[in-house]
Each structure stands twice: as structure tokens, then as C-alpha cells.
Amino acid sequence: MNINIVFPDKQQKAFEAGVSVAQAIAQWRNEALSSAVAAKVDSVPVDLSFVLTRDAALDVIDVSSREGLNVLRHSIAHVMAHAVQDVFPGAKVTIGPSIEDGFYYDFDYAEPFELDDFAKIEKRMKKIAAADYPFIREVLPRAAAVDIFSARGEDYKVELINDLPADVTEVSLYKDGDYVDLCRGPHIPSTAKVKAFKLLSLAGAYWRGDERNKMLQRIYGTGFADEAALAEHLALIEEAKKRDHRRLGRELDLFSISDEAGAGLVIFHPKGMMLRYLIEDWERKEHLKRGYDMVMGPQILKVDLWKKSGHFDHYRENMYFTEVDEQTYGIKPMNCLAHMLIYKSKIRSYRDLPLRYFELGTVHRHEKTGVLHGLLRVRQFTQDDAHILCMPEQLNAEIRAIADFVNYAMGVFGFEYEVELSTRPVHSIGSDADWELATCALEGALKDNAIPYEVNEGDGAFYGPKIDFKLKDALKRKWQCATIQCDFTLPERFDLNYIGPDGEKHRPVMLHRVILGAIERFMGVLIEHYAGAFPVWLAPTQCILLTVTDKHIPYAETVYSALIDAGIRCEKFFDNEKLGYKIRQAQMQKIPYMLVIGDKEMEAATIAPRARDGSNLGALTVEQFIALVREMCEKKKG
RNA sequence: GCCGAUGUAGCUCAGCUGGUAGAGCAACUGAUUCGUAAUCAGUAGGUCCCCGGUUCAAAUCCGGGCAUCGGCUCCA
């Protein structure tokens, strides 16, 4: 019997039923087979060994595609697990997927693995690759699969199979050599395609991601189609480390975190504080343009208020408390309470709404020691926080305005971001109806504005669902910055109301929102984003005066005064060193403009600016330079 | 909080199996007065994270803490 196969270029070919995908591809385009790792039959991913028995559309999954790379990495993860079991008999396998930059596999083994073991495992992996074991897929009834894994002592695989939904009657296994794994597939045709890989790090990870479960040992690795791509990736990791904000924070003297002061507490040095001031100053103005009122609440509030808000019941673990005159006060972990009190301080009319209270509010949260991370995860931080109190019918427009604000702000800094909608968590307050309303309001606004998003089930705040905006750091870790949270509960708990057009009391709705999120975190991501080379408007030092010799100092001093007078952030570097040395120092400090002053400049009453990118701007008068800097700041360029 | 690793001069790192510490850069001093990414010479700098233990003797071995790093869980 003949079957018709349609190839990606719409070409149709007839084959005898029973032909494998690999054979079909070979007859279509022989060269396509060498870089193919798997295929899709009528959009369903399959192995190259899959047998075609009826008419179908065939797609090739090439290793050069994202999908193909994932298949390869997943197969490398199998090879690694195979090698680990060879090197460490008795190690139990659990799960091992491909991830964005590679793969990992989690093992349960009595002894801790060490970094030194990587060489042994890699060596073994190379042997497995050289053996050219085909990946063989087998489909069996789940009971038979349970028997196989039980016999091999693979308790975790047995658990995985037993937890499958009842309607799943068969499962697929993949074998390479004497290694067997439970796996959906597809896989590369044989271990010979495993050519370029490297094991990278070791970590603990809870079984099924639940901290109540046993901690397993995770090995992270990465893999590519060839050595060149691997080397490129490893070089990229090195580059990313160079722009790590913790390293740049020290090198550029922006901030420090001191054991003596305490973990997770940031100490801003002059340059870091200047950067922070510039961001905050910009942000205040942007808020005033958008109808926000600046407010400020106290740092500590009586514990009864935290009980009223629900924080004491649901957030106590993260809060710090202190005693004042035998009364317990909670150090604020959020800024909303004072804002509620401001609202309540007088009778509100529907004509007053929406009210938008903005505060650069400093909060303290007790974060577990293991999570602290430079500026990105700290125990004291300042949020660019606002609470918007409005009528339910104003909700959509307000959410839309915030999303626009976020989009504008991210555009100013040149950030790409991802959006997530986080729904009701297990521990939460409020009625089902309110959660439903709030979630719909957020989702509706996202849909109305055609903002692409993913749903993050159960990840909302305890008082309401939220829209999260996530930025990536240099090492591609995602960090939540902006967030919009919809809250029907706190207005209820605080009995907030407004007088409607009908003369009756009504309940307002509250939006909690931040644009940059935590200033500290945002700065951390920002430092990495710019690799420390801040645009002129944000650069703590915008220019530095470099004298060629000592005799140019008096003239350079007059230039300095003129620049400082004009509000330009300028430094002097008049040391008795060669110009090349000073250029190098300024370059390493990533200062936007180096202003060279020698004989020529002194005579012509000019300066010779050299930009950070190495270009010379030619002789400029001080006035011309001031105008240039002002223009760059205005346009937020450079 | 959990798993693993690490903690030596301001920074980056040596210091083998126990015999009380070194390099480069930075800093400081002097000489040099120099034109677009490192001038030369000299000087100084350390409770070897902290506390306890073993030992004639601990940076080194053991125990406990703290902190950092990579993850997990959690989160702005």
C-alpha cells in the first residue's frame, strides 16, 4: 500500500507504508537528515525512527531550531543520567528536562556529588556517545513499565507513572544501551549525535519542587550541536559575569553590602546614590504628570493595624516587629496601610475618584538567608509604590493607564519584559466573588490592550491577583519589577467608602502598583542592562577632566567651575600621570565623556572631549559641550 | 529555611601532607611633565571570617556559628 507524505516545502511523495521518517526525509532531501534530530507527523513530535503508516504532513525538527536544540539537550540529559548511573551505581533518576540554556537532571544518591566528579561523568558520557547507542522507544502498558522500574529500583519513576491520570493506559520508555528512562520523547536517533556538552553546576532541588519533599541533587549542563556553538555559549556566560551588578557595584563604587551592617542591607556609596537619586527624581516627575499625589507614611505602625489588614495573619513570617512603650509595632513590609488611613481621613465623593497616592516607600521584609542576592533580593528596599482608589467602573481605564506607564518607563530604559497574570494563591483572604471580579478586571485590561501574557496559577498576593512584569538580568534570570494588583479586600477591611451620585455610600476598589518595583532591584537589573555604562542622563559622573600636564591645571579648574555651575556632573583627574593612564582609568569607570585639556585647548579656550566609545568629538567650547550634554540628557541618549 | 561549594592584603588569587604568610593590580612616597586604554623606583599594608576544640605547634585538622556564591522553595 502506498501513502502520501507532504514535506515542509509542500512537495508530495509517495512511499510504501512502513517507511521510517528518516528514510522518507532522506529521499526528500538527503542533506536534511544529517542535522535532523526528530520530526513532526501531522504536528505531533516523533522520533526519526517513527514508522509512517498513512498519509501525513511531515516536518523536520532540525538541530538548528529551538525545538531541535531542546530535543538534543533532553537526549544529552539522558546520556548524563546514564553516565551518572554508571559512575555512581545506585543513584536513582528522577526528572531531567531541557531548559532555556541547557538541561539538568535530578538524582537521589546517598553521597553528595562533587564538582570533581564532573570530569568522570563527562568522560563516561563521551564513551556512551562514542558507543553510538540508538535511542529505542518502547510503548508499554503502565503496569509493565512499573515492573521494569521497580526491578531497577527506580522509585521515583514508579511514583511518576502511578501518579499519571487514570485514562493513561500506556507509557513510553527510551533505551540507550542498558539505560532505560521513562520519557515522552522524542529523542535524537543515537547517542552519536551527542558531541558538544559541558556540565556546569551542582545544586539541591526538592523532589517535585516541594520543600516538604526530599532534596535531590541536580546537575546542570548545557549542550549544542557542535563545539563552536558550545564555546560561544561558554564565552557568553563569562561576558555575563562581567556585567554582574555585584561586580560592577564594587568596581564602579556604587554600593556595598557589609557583613558588619547585616545581610541583605544595601549601603549606597556616593555614585550609587547619585544614580538612585536620578532615577527617583525622574520618576517623581513622571508620576506628577499622570495625576498621582505624593504621600508618605510612617516606618512602623501598631500591630493592631496589621491585624486588621490581614498582614499579621498572612504575612507575619516576613515581618519585623519592635516594642515601643510596651506596645508592639510592625515595621512596614508594604506601604498600603498609611495610604488607607489617608483615604479614610475624610469623606470622599465619587467626584474625588480616582485618588492616586504615590510613595517612594521603604519597606523591610524578612527574607530567608539563602535567597539574598546582591541588589536583586534584599531585606530593606524602597518601592515606587502607589495605591489607586477608584470606582469599579474606573478599574479598566486605571489598569490600562498603569500598563501604559510601565510600557513607557521600560521604553525609557530600553527594557524588554514579559507579562504574567498571577491568580489566587492557597493562603489568601477575601471572597471568591471578589477574586473573580478582580482577576477578570486585570485579565480584561490585558486583553483590551492586546498585551500578550501568561497565566501563573496561584501566584497572586494574599489579598488579590496581580499582573507581573518581568525583566531579565545578565544571567537570564527573570526578576519581577512592575506589578499591578487588584484588591477588593482591603477597602472592605478598612471600611473605605465614597458617596455616590445617589447620595449612598459605596465601596471603592484599590489597585496596588509599582512601576520599577523595588528601586534596589531595578538598579541591579539596570546596572547589568547597561553593563555599568549608563546613558548620560543617568551617569553618576557625566564627564571627567584630564589634564595633559600640571601646567594645564589652572585652566582646567576654570572649566571645572563652569561645568559644575551648569549642573554637569564632572570630576577632576589632575594627577601627575600620562594621558594614556588617565584615559584608561576613566574608560574603566565607564564615564561618558573624557575632556582632554592640553596646550591646544588652553590656547583656544576649548576642551577636547573623547566619548566612552573611543571617538573624539574635536575641539568644543565649554558652552558647546554643556549644550551637548543637556541635549543627550533631554533625549535620554548616550 | 534546604542542598552543595567557598571565605587568606582594598581587588584577583598562591600557600602540597600542621612548623605563626606571599604575588600581581590598587594605595602611599619620590622621580618623571608626558596628547587619547597601564612611566619608573621605593614604601606600607593581613585578628589568614568569628568562636571553641585537638596539638609542643593550626591559615592548614575537628565542631559550632556568620557571610558569600550556585541552585531549590519563597519573593519586589
Side-chain angles (χ1 to χ4, degrees):
Chain A
M1 190 183 91
N2 276 358
I3 55 172
N4 279 316
I5 301 298
V6 183
F7 289 91
D9 60 355
K10 305 292 170 210
Q11 204 184 126
Q12 244 189 60
K13 277 183 174 290
F15 294 93
E16 232 172 79
V19 66
S20 77
V21 167
Q23 288 164 334
I25 292 171
Q27 286 189 33
W28 168 61
R29 275 185 197 165
N30 196 31
E31 68 280 9
L33 194 57
S34 64
S35 58
V37 287
K40 282 189 202 171
V41 170
D42 290 333
S43 302
V44 179
V46 297
D47 298 315
L48 292 177
S49 58
F50 183 82
V51 173
L52 295 159
T53 54
R54 55 187 164 78
D55 293 358
L58 185 62
D59 273 320
V60 178
I61 300 181
D62 192 273
V63 73
S64 64
S65 68
R66 180 73 234 181
E67 221 177 348
L69 192 56
N70 286 344
V71 170
L72 174 66
R73 286 169 170 174
H74 185 194
S75 297
I76 299 175
H78 274 229
V79 171
M80 179 175 80
H82 184 166
V84 166
Q85 290 200 322
D86 286 350
V87 179
F88 300 100
K92 292 177 184 178
V93 292
T94 66
I95 55 161
S98 72
I99 52 176
E100 188 171 352
D101 283 319
F103 60 86
Y104 67 79
Y105 213 114
D106 288 348
F107 301 91
D108 183 10
Y109 188 60
E111 298 299 316
F113 298 145
E114 290 175 17
L115 285 172
D116 294 342
D117 297 329
F118 281 9
K120 276 182 272 178
I121 299 168
E122 285 176 339
K123 198 174 161 196
R124 185 70 210 171
M125 288 171 74
K126 284 184 182 134
K127 271 199 172 167
I128 295 167
D132 191 12
Y133 296 120
F135 273 94
I136 299 164
R137 178 190 175 90
E138 276 181 31
V139 176
L140 355 166
R142 50 195 286 177
V146 165
D147 289 345
I148 289 177
F149 288 113
S150 296
R152 293 175 69 98
E154 299 290 9
D155 314 337
Y156 295 90
K157 294 292 178 188
V158 171
E159 186 180 328
L160 286 173
I161 299 170
N162 286 337
D163 285 355
L164 289 170
D167 60 333
V168 176
T169 56
E170 293 182 323
V171 296
S172 58
L173 271 50
Y174 276 82
K175 291 186 182 172
D176 65 276
D178 55 0
Y179 178 73
V180 185
D181 206 338
L182 173 74
C183 187
R184 204 177 283 123
H187 275 285
I188 56 177
S190 104
T191 59
K193 281 204 184 268
V194 174
K195 288 173 188 156
F197 63 86
K198 186 167 171 61
L199 305 189
L200 294 174
S201 63
L202 216 48
Y206 299 108
W207 167 235
R208 297 192 150 180
D210 189 327
E211 65 180 329
R212 288 165 301 191
N213 287 343
K214 182 164 185 179
M215 180 151 284
L216 307 169
Q217 300 191 64
R218 174 172 298 179
I219 299 178
Y220 282 95
T222 193
F224 289 87
D226 55 70
E227 289 290 344
L230 174 64
E232 193 182 331
H233 177 75
L234 295 178
L236 252 163
I237 293 176
E238 287 310 307
E239 274 310 304
K241 282 183 184 162
K242 283 185 194 159
R243 54 163 73 197
D244 188 309
H245 75 280
R246 292 164 296 187
R247 176 177 173 150
L248 287 169
R250 187 178 56 238
E251 289 175 356
L252 303 181
D253 199 14
L254 299 172
F255 67 90
S256 60
I257 295 171
S258 149
D259 291 10
E260 289 178 285
L265 303 171
V266 182
I267 299 168
F268 287 91
H269 295 203
K271 289 187 179 163
M273 193 56 215
M274 177 54 77
L275 175 61
R276 177 173 173 157
Y277 165 82
L278 292 163
I279 295 167
E280 291 181 345
D281 185 51
W282 166 79
E283 233 204 327
R284 283 197 188 92
K285 289 171 185 151
E286 292 297 333
H287 276 83
L288 294 177
K289 283 184 202 169
R290 289 171 171 78
Y292 286 82
D293 295 315
M294 291 198 286
V295 298
M296 188 168 180
Q299 208 57 44
I300 59 174
L301 299 91
K302 283 185 184 167
V303 71
D304 282 356
L305 208 57
W306 296 110
K307 285 181 179 164
K308 191 173 183 177
S309 69
H311 285 85
F312 191 79
D313 285 339
H314 294 85
Y315 207 72
R316 194 180 1 176
E317 298 303 306
N318 289 294
M319 288 179 67
Y320 297 110
F321 293 94
T322 186
E323 295 285 319
V324 180
D325 293 343
E326 291 171 29
Q327 298 228 42
T328 304
Y329 283 73
I331 298 171
K332 68 173 175 177
M334 298 186 192
N335 300 302
C336 31
L337 292 206
H339 298 191
M340 308 293 286
L341 298 183
I342 297 168
Y343 184 92
K344 262 184 92 83
S345 65
K346 58 181 182 181
I347 294 172
R348 305 291 177 178
S349 152
Y350 72 97
R351 296 178 203 277
D352 299 331
L353 303 184
L355 279 167
R356 307 186 188 95
Y357 296 134
F358 171 63
E359 173 173 3
L360 281 165
T362 301
V363 297
H364 292 76
R365 296 186 187 174
H366 180 71
E367 299 293 338
K368 293 173 180 173
T369 51
V371 307
L372 301 175
H373 184 98
L375 292 182
L376 301 181
R377 196 73 185 271
V378 293
R379 285 182 172 157
Q380 178 191 304
F381 57 97
T382 299
Q383 298 176 298
D384 57 339
D385 206 359
H387 293 91
I388 297 172
L389 290 137
C390 64
M391 297 183 277
E393 56 268 36
Q394 294 172 321
L395 213 45
N396 190 291
E398 288 301 313
I399 295 169
R400 172 185 292 236
I402 297 165
D404 281 350
F405 193 175
V406 171
N407 192 263
Y408 170 78
M410 294 304 114
V412 164
F413 297 99
F415 277 119
E416 304 273 324
Y417 58 88
E418 289 173 16
V419 179
E420 290 174 7
L421 177 69
S422 297
T423 59
R424 186 169 194 171
V426 182
H427 298 287
S428 56
I429 56 177
S431 70
D432 291 349
D434 283 348
W435 273 88
E436 179 66 22
L437 264 173
T439 308
C440 285
L442 292 176
E443 193 157 23
L446 287 173
K447 284 182 173 156
D448 288 354
N449 290 285
I451 297 169
Y453 65 96
E454 289 192 6
V455 175
N456 215 342
E457 294 290 348
D459 221 22
F462 72 82
Y463 46 77
K466 54 184 189 163
I467 297 173
D468 293 328
F469 298 78
K470 303 208 168 173
L471 304 183
K472 277 187 195 163
D473 74 6
L475 296 170
K476 296 191 179 175
R477 291 173 288 214
K478 277 192 255 176
W479 296 94
Q480 182 178 319
C481 289
T483 172
I484 307 172
Q485 306 172 352
C486 191
D487 184 357
F488 285 83
T489 307
L490 284 188
E492 181 80 30
R493 289 194 169 218
F494 279 79
D495 192 28
L496 302 190
N497 53 57
Y498 63 89
I499 309 301
D502 55 2
E504 299 294 318
K505 282 184 181 177
H506 299 274
R507 185 79 72 211
V509 188
M510 180 156 80
L511 291 171
H512 308 241
R513 51 103 282 186
V514 289
I515 303 297
L516 306 182
I519 303 296
E520 287 78 359
R521 174 177 290 182
F522 186 77
M523 284 176 70
V525 181
L526 194 68
I527 290 165
E528 303 193 349
H529 178 62
Y530 289 127
F534 303 106
V536 178
W537 76 283
L538 284 173
T541 302
Q542 295 172 310
C543 58
I544 184 163
L545 288 168
L546 310 180
T547 45
V548 176
T549 74
D550 287 355
K551 68 178 173 187
H552 306 116
I553 292 176
Y555 171 63
E557 288 283 7
T558 67
V559 174
Y560 179 76
S561 302
L563 290 172
I564 293 294
D565 269 358
I568 307 287
R569 300 186 291 278
C570 183
E571 274 182 52
K572 297 190 260 194
F573 193 6
F574 297 166
D575 291 12
N576 179 11
E577 292 286 351
K578 292 169 106 168
L579 184 61
Y581 175 84
K582 297 187 196 182
I583 297 267
R584 177 178 153 83
Q585 295 302 318
Q587 197 75 46
M588 289 193 305
Q589 286 297 304
K590 301 172 193 269
I591 297 168
Y593 297 107
M594 290 152 242
L595 309 179
V596 176
I597 294 180
D599 287 342
K600 280 183 279 178
E601 290 71 29
M602 206 159 81
E603 279 162 29
T606 57
I607 49 180
R610 176 198 209 265
R612 189 161 49 184
D613 64 7
S615 63
N616 278 309
L617 307 190
L620 294 184
T621 63
V622 174
E623 290 67 32
Q624 285 172 319
F625 178 72
I626 290 168
L628 171 73
V629 171
R630 284 184 176 156
E631 192 195 339
M632 298 297 278
C633 290
E634 192 61 36
K635 293 181 178 165
K636 308 237 178 314
K637 278 178 22 184

